Structure formats: structure tokens, C-alpha cells
Amino acid sequence: MNIFFKIILFIISIPARLKGMKFGVNSYILPGYDVLFNQMKNINLSNNVVIGRNAWIQTIENGEIIINNNTHIGRNVVISSRGNIVIGNECMISYFVSILDHNHDFYNINKSPIFSGLTNPKNISIGDKTFIGAHSFIMPGVKLGKNCVVGANSVVTKSFEDYSIIAGNPAVLIKKIV
């Protein structure tokens, strides 16, 4: 990547940096990310991380998001943490993926969802070299092992071991890679 593009990408990242997001060497967030009403402290991108256009990445209260080396995240991704979300090394997350460690607290029938607040967080861990297909959801408390593959349009509601290929709503084990 030539120096001109690096300068442009650095300039694009300035609002996120001012809001507390940390960037490793050669890590970038592309234009259109939501910055106005998002808290971005405790978001740490390691080296060679690329986040696609129109991302919504936020921490709530003391939430933390760690995205490790050589991970690429597609366009229109939502990552929201009230607790802790860790994405491993060399992961690939496709476009329109949502990763949330909390939900709206819709159990109080006397309040509408907009005023109900949020549930307590359940940490999420995505292992090294995992691929998450387009339009998938990773729900609170999920732990994906290393080298997992999540099929497109999946809703992952439970944890899976290393080398799992999973898909569906809710996601189920299709087979093991090894």
C-alpha cells in the first residue's frame, strides 16, 4: 500500500482515535463507520487489522473489544460489547455480521424494548483462523474454537470446538474439518 493511501486511511481513523480506539501497525477502519453516538474506548486493533466500510463498533460502559493480528472484517459489521469480545488472529469476518455480547432486556413486560435497558453481558471468544459467513449473528456467551467455519446466514447461540463447520438457525455442527 503506498504512502498516499496510508495517509488517507490514517486521516479517516482520527475520529475513532479521538474516541479512544487503539490501532496497531497497518490497521485501518474504512470510511462510514459510526462515531457520533458510539463509545469507542477499550477497542484495540492489533497489527494488520482491516475493518470494512460502514462498521458499527462500540463498547458500552466498561466493555472491551480486542481484534488480533491479520484479521479482516467486512462491510456493515456490528460489534457491540458491554463485557468482553475477543477475535483471534487471522480471522475473516464477512459483511453484515453482528457480534453482540448483550441484548435488550425484553423480559420486563411493563416496559417497551426501547426503555427496557440491556441484559448483563456474556463474553464472546472467536478462535484464530475462524471464518464467519455473511449475514451471521454471534450471540452472547459464544466461544468458537480455532479454524471454525460459520456458514452464511447462521445464528450462533452456543459454543463450538476447534475445527467445527457450523450453519443454520440456530447453528448446528455440520462436520469437523479434521
Side-chain angles (χ1 to χ4, degrees):
M1 183 179 300
N2 73 34
I3 191 71
F4 175 74
F5 286 115
K6 286 185 177 187
I7 292 169
I8 295 297
L9 291 171
F10 177 82
I11 291 168
I12 289 167
S13 75
I14 289 173
R17 292 172 190 269
L18 291 173
K19 292 199 87 170
M21 187 179 234
K22 305 286 187 226
F23 289 78
V25 176
N26 292 321
S27 289
Y28 305 101
I29 188 167
L30 297 178
Y33 63 92
D34 200 316
V35 70
L36 287 180
F37 303 107
N38 279 352
Q39 175 177 291
M40 300 180 97
K41 70 177 185 180
N42 299 326
I43 300 174
N44 297 298
L45 309 183
S46 296
N47 299 326
N48 303 307
V49 173
V50 177
I51 299 174
R53 295 167 84 70
N54 304 319
W56 176 301
I57 300 180
Q58 70 174 356
T59 55
I60 300 168
E61 298 159 355
N62 294 317
E64 181 178 37
I65 298 170
I66 298 170
I67 303 173
N68 286 300
N69 296 320
N70 304 307
T71 290
H72 290 244
I73 297 176
R75 295 175 178 217
N76 300 296
V77 166
V78 174
I79 304 174
S80 181
S81 177
R82 238 184 128 193
N84 186 273
I85 296 174
V86 177
I87 299 172
N89 295 297
E90 299 179 31
C91 291
M92 192 159 78
I93 298 173
S94 194
Y95 54 91
F96 287 103
V97 170
S98 295
I99 303 170
L100 303 108
D101 68 4
H102 59 279
N103 207 330
H104 285 276
D105 188 2
F106 50 82
Y107 293 105
N108 184 344
I109 61 171
N110 296 319
K111 289 186 179 182
S112 73
I114 198 164
F115 297 114
S116 63
L118 300 173
T119 60
N120 290 326
K122 294 180 182 173
N123 296 339
I124 294 174
S125 174
I126 297 172
D128 294 343
K129 300 179 182 178
T130 289
F131 171 76
I132 300 175
H135 299 274
S136 293
F137 290 83
I138 308 300
M139 302 303 285
V142 166
K143 180 178 180 185
L144 295 177
K146 66 182 179 182
N147 292 88
C148 287
V149 175
V150 177
N153 297 306
S154 294
V155 178
V156 184
T157 60
K158 64 182 184 177
S159 298
F160 291 90
E161 297 177 0
D162 297 348
Y163 305 104
S164 295
I165 298 176
I166 62 175
N169 180 7
V172 296
L173 181 66
I174 304 299
K175 69 179 187 175
K176 296 287 228 160
I177 293 174
V178 291

